[in-house]
Amino acid sequence: MIRVKPLITLVCAAEIAGMAAYAGFVAQLPLLSAAWDLTASHAGWVSGAFYAGYGLAVPILVTRTDRTDPLRVYLPSMLATAAGALGFALLADGFWSALLFQVIMGAGLAGTYMPGLRLLTDRLEGAAQSRAVALYTSSYAIGTGFSFAMIGVLSTWLGWRWAFGLAAIGPVTAAITVAMVFRGQARRRTAASQDPGRQQFVAVLRDRAVMARAVAYGAHNFELFGLWSWAVAFLTFAYALRPGDPLQIEPTLVAAVLTLLLLPASVGGNELALRIGRRRWIVSVMIGSAALAPVVGFAAGEVVSAVLIALCLVYGVAVAAESGALTSSVVATGDTRQRGAIMAVYSMVGFAGAFAGPLVFGWVLGGVGAGSGAGWGAAFAAMGLGALVGPVALLLVDRRGGDRPRS
């Protein structure tokens, strides 16, 4: 039997490898928009389609892990991710084909991310299980940053089709490795592993405190994934306005750093939230990020590139800083007997926001003008307005009040 630390390391590495093509389209958004004559609205649809695929597949695939070994969900889903990346590399030639392969890759992630976590938690317990959860969830940010950086570098050297094609190797390698390691590994079964029933979902939907946090998570993802999806295109536009500026760092590398900031911002934010109260922290941070959004958008062309990059990174931290506190808050608030249903609803609402963010950004940008600073400023302002739905939900819908600060 494989030891605990190597087991955790291997599954985390597999998830990072499986996300190799995750940022493929948004990392190449300016190039592909020009090549396929995509409007800003079309680009927003393609960006959001990934999260639509995730959101549609997650209630089916994740709840299936309550009835069968997660490996039976994980392996086919990892191969589906590879098929989506390879299909994009070979067959994508415009809006509809790109939309299709984005949905496939998003559904593949739905069948690998949380089922991958179940692979670990069903075989570990106690301190090892807790450590595995913390390390595994951090792999999402690492995988996102890795994808931005890898796709950017490979596209520069070989072109975007080769970048997508080579990225497909990541999920194939992950599937083969995990299959070999987990073959014969005993799954620890628990009495709590039950398929959430209809009554549980209805009870969750009627729980005002839980639903307020789910709506806030949707607003958080609306802003976060809107930023991640359009960061490369935004910096490309801004650099073109000031061609002589120094320190114009490759936009895909800036986006990679932007996504990697999720980990320290989320963990550090959760620690601060425990001290001052989760709801107070979440509301304050979301209002602050909403206020900062138009500042970043309207800064394109008005400040030197180094300052604009710094603003983007500060904004990235602000957008991510309530992430850990939100998730821990909904877990602490909800009925432990309905935790499976709570997390399913929470995830579905959250990724509805992740789908809408890139789409709304593209609509506003296209409506005002993608070639103007006003268009980008308005699009960022729309992200900020969307984020404000979170504080409103927590302050007005959740009548129970927030979590108590830790003494």
Side-chain angles (χ1 to χ4, degrees), residues 62 92 129 135 137 143 148 180 196 200 217 224 240 249 284-285 323 328 334 336 346 348 364 384:
V62 174
Q129 186 186 78
L135 292 172
T137 53
F148 267 110
M180 292 176 63
Q200 286 180 296
Y217 183 53
L224 179 69
I249 302 171
S284 300
V285 170
S323 179
S328 61
T336 57
Y346 183 75
M348 284 187 285
V364 175

Side-chain angles (χ1 to χ4, degrees), residues 268-279 281-282 325 403-406:
N270 188 55
E271 289 301 313
L272 289 171
L274 289 173
R275 287 167 172 76
I276 71 172
R278 289 193 185 101
R279 192 173 73 161
W281 171 259
I282 294 166
D403 303 290
R404 297 290 184 185
R406 186 174 65 187

Side-chain angles (χ1 to χ4, degrees), residues 31-375:
L31 174 66
L32 295 178
S33 292
W36 294 339
D37 197 26
L38 299 179
T39 65
S41 177
H42 285 155
W45 273 101
V46 177
S47 297
F50 187 99
Y51 308 110
Y54 185 102
L56 291 171
V58 74
I60 300 170
L61 298 178
V62 174
T63 56
R64 184 171 173 77
T65 64
D66 288 320
R67 303 189 300 272
T68 187
D69 191 325
L71 200 62
R72 296 185 178 181
V73 175
Y74 183 93
L75 295 179
S77 297
M78 196 62 87
L79 294 177
T81 302
L86 190 59
F88 205 111
L90 298 175
L91 302 174
D93 59 1
F95 173 72
W96 289 108
S97 55
L99 199 77
L100 171 64
F101 294 119
Q102 284 281 91
V103 169
I104 292 172
M105 287 188 284
L109 181 64
T112 57
Y113 183 54
M114 292 308 297
L117 182 60
R118 287 293 298 268
L119 281 175
L120 288 174
T121 57
D122 283 356
R123 291 164 171 84
L124 301 173
E125 57 186 358
Q129 186 186 78
S130 178
R131 188 176 299 113
V133 171
L135 292 172
Y136 183 84
T137 53
S138 71
S139 70
Y140 187 94
I142 298 171
T144 304
F146 167 71
S147 179
F148 267 110
M150 190 201 72
I151 293 291
V153 171
L154 289 179
S155 296
T156 300
W157 290 350
L158 304 171
W160 69 267
R161 289 193 184 274
W162 271 104
F164 266 99
L166 292 173
I169 297 173
V172 171
T173 303
I176 293 172
T177 305
V178 169
M180 292 176 63
V181 169
F182 278 88
R183 184 175 56 189
Q185 289 281 320
R187 179 190 183 195
R188 185 179 59 85
R189 299 182 180 275
T190 65
S193 294
Q194 298 174 355
D195 188 20
R198 180 175 176 273
Q199 289 183 339
Q200 286 180 296
F201 281 109
V202 171
V204 171
L205 293 173
R206 290 176 176 173
D207 190 320
R208 295 170 65 91
V210 169
M211 290 308 299
R213 284 157 176 78
V215 170
Y217 183 53
H220 159 78
N221 280 351
F222 178 90
E223 186 179 27
L224 179 69
F225 289 97
L227 170 64
W228 283 4
S229 296
W230 286 94
V232 172
F234 173 64
L235 289 172
T236 301
F237 166 79
Y239 288 174
L241 296 179
R242 303 180 70 96
D245 272 3
L247 296 177
Q248 289 192 342
I249 302 171
E250 168 61 37
T252 54
L253 295 181
V254 177
V257 174
L258 195 67
T259 56
L260 288 171
L261 287 173
L262 174 67
L263 176 56
S266 177
V267 173
N270 188 55
E271 289 301 313
L272 289 171
L274 289 173
R275 287 167 172 76
I276 71 172
R278 289 193 185 101
R279 192 173 73 161
R280 181 184 301 174
W281 171 259
I282 294 166
V283 168
S284 300
V285 170
M286 294 189 81
I287 291 174
S289 68
L292 187 57
V295 174
V296 174
F298 284 109
E302 302 299 323
V303 296
V304 296
S305 299
V307 173
L308 183 64
I309 291 171
L311 280 172
C312 287
L313 296 180
V314 170
Y315 179 49
V317 170
V319 173
E322 79 277 17
S323 179
L326 263 172
T327 302
S328 61
S329 178
V330 78
V331 170
T333 300
D335 187 336
T336 57
R337 295 168 299 178
Q338 299 171 345
R339 186 159 291 167
I342 287 170
M343 295 313 297
V345 171
Y346 183 75
S347 183
M348 284 187 285
V349 174
F351 276 85
F355 163 69
L359 181 58
V360 170
F361 195 111
W363 280 349
V364 175
L365 179 62
V368 179
S372 68

